[in-house]
Amino acid sequence: MIILLPPSESKTPHDHGDPLSLDQLCFPELTQDRAHTCDTLMEISSRERGWEELGVSQRLAPEVQRNTELFTTSAGPAINTYTGVLYTALDADTVAHEDRLDSVFISSALFGVVNARDRIPAYRYSMTPKLATWWKKRLSPVLDDAWAAEVVVDCRSGAYRRAWPGTNTLPVQVVTETNGVRKTVSHNAKHTRGLVARHLLNRDGQMPATPSDVVSALQEAFTVEFEHPQITIVV
């Protein structure tokens, strides 16, 4: 089983450790593509109004400037680099089965996809529709082959799903229900998806190997509905 997470807009910089080494990341077939996106991001970020070209406010100009140091600043585990509601709920440093982090991957506008243990620097870059199309051509042949026999619990948002739709993904939707009326939630969905990932990493027994196994595992902790391929968590 693979757990596939979205990145976060905010990142935690690392204050020690070796810098980024692209050839140490998962899926070395993507090294040249990652080099291209890194070079592109550093070039844009070095411009006077690079923040504007990246679609962020001037308030974030210091983070954009940090993009120019991708290969010189300290890198750290991706699972500790990404921050926000989902990653707070996941709390990867306290999961019961640390070795299961090998099955956790994170989508990335900059790197395509990284493993939870891959060492990356903090950066500011978002997945635009154009970039998603660019990555889809490169990710599909790699991930389709690598994960052909895996069930993929997909906690990503729409923009990152477009970069690799996959053929065996189980998208996790989160809804609330009040007086019989359901509403899709966004901010709280991130929190719930973090809890979903945490439960799968923490539970005893074998990791789920089929969609029905995943659903059974999640029913241990959540109200779950399943209409293949969609998993719906009702909160």
Side-chain angles (χ1 to χ4, degrees):
M1 184 191 72
I2 300 295
I3 300 174
L4 188 54
L5 303 177
S8 59
E9 290 295 334
S10 58
K11 320 288 190 301
T12 299
H14 301 280
D15 56 11
H16 66 278
D18 294 334
L20 171 67
S21 176
L22 292 179
D23 59 7
Q24 297 296 312
L25 301 182
C26 64
F27 301 118
E29 308 96 313
L30 299 172
T31 297
Q32 291 305 312
D33 300 316
R34 290 163 171 157
H36 172 75
T37 53
C38 285
D39 288 344
T40 299
L41 180 60
M42 288 191 296
E43 198 278 325
I44 294 173
S45 300
S46 67
R47 299 173 189 168
E48 183 177 354
R49 298 182 68 85
W51 52 270
E52 188 173 40
E53 294 184 56
L54 293 176
V56 301
S57 68
Q58 190 172 9
R59 176 178 59 85
L60 297 176
E63 293 187 26
V64 172
Q65 178 60 33
R66 192 169 62 208
N67 288 340
T68 64
E69 303 170 350
L70 292 177
F71 292 100
T72 56
T73 192
S74 294
I79 200 69
N80 300 127
T81 302
Y82 296 106
T83 60
V85 177
L86 186 152
Y87 290 91
T88 298
L90 171 56
D91 195 11
D93 288 340
T94 66
V95 297
H97 304 284
E98 185 180 356
D99 58 306
R100 291 183 179 177
L101 289 175
D102 290 337
S103 67
V104 176
F105 292 81
I106 304 164
S107 289
S108 168
L110 186 57
F111 302 112
V113 64
V114 292
N115 180 258
R117 297 181 190 269
D118 282 347
R119 299 180 61 83
I120 63 171
Y123 64 90
R124 172 65 66 162
Y125 202 31
S126 298
M127 184 71 81
T128 63
K130 181 178 180 180
L131 186 56
T133 298
W134 187 89
W135 270 120
K136 182 180 178 181
K137 296 176 182 178
R138 291 153 177 84
L139 289 175
S140 292
V142 175
L143 300 185
D144 287 351
D145 180 62
W147 294 343
E150 301 282 357
V151 57
V152 181
V153 179
D154 188 356
C155 296
R156 299 173 299 167
S157 57
Y160 289 91
R161 286 179 184 153
R162 285 191 291 271
W164 181 69
T167 58
N168 51 346
T169 59
L170 302 177
V172 177
Q173 179 186 36
V174 183
V175 301
T176 58
E177 183 171 320
T178 305
N179 297 325
V181 177
R182 289 193 171 183
K183 182 183 298 185
T184 301
V185 296
S186 54
H187 181 77
N188 287 340
K190 297 177 183 178
H191 174 78
T192 301
R193 290 181 180 125
L195 295 179
V196 162
R198 181 174 177 81
H199 177 71
L200 294 172
L201 295 173
N202 272 346
R203 64 188 298 274
D204 293 330
Q206 298 294 318
M207 290 279 272
T210 67
S212 61
D213 289 344
V214 172
V215 172
S216 295
L218 293 179
Q219 286 174 333
E220 298 165 354
F222 306 94
T223 300
V224 180
E225 296 177 357
F226 181 59
E227 184 172 347
H228 194 276
Q230 182 80 57
I231 293 175
T232 300
I233 308 291
V234 184
V235 296

